[in-house]
Amino acid sequence: MTTTLTVEGMSCDGCEKSVVEALEGVEGVESANADHESNTASVEGDADPLDLVVAVNDAGYDAQA
């Protein structure tokens, strides 16, 4: 299953890395990627979308499922 999040606040590759690391720390995530140009993050796996949003928000970005 693919989940796509809208993520505000990313401005560089380092931001993308922080978001990916936060997402990969959530149970059920198989892989994740982020794109600061489109303000999105995509996650493969069966993680709860709310858990993904919380993880990204805790990393300092504004995410919405």
Side-chain angles (χ1 to χ4, degrees):
M1 177 175 80
T2 302
T3 303
T4 302
L5 304 176
T6 301
V7 181
E8 299 291 334
M10 293 187 294
S11 60
C12 64
D13 292 343
C15 296
E16 291 174 1
K17 183 177 179 184
S18 295
V19 169
V20 167
E21 288 175 353
L23 292 169
E24 288 177 340
V26 176
E27 185 177 335
V29 172
E30 296 170 13
S31 66
N33 68 48
D35 181 7
H36 73 275
E37 291 181 6
S38 64
N39 293 321
T40 60
S42 298
V43 177
E44 294 291 332
D46 61 358
D48 183 327
L50 181 58
D51 291 341
L52 300 173
V53 169
V54 168
V56 173
N57 289 345
D58 286 350
Y61 302 91
D62 181 25
Q64 298 176 10

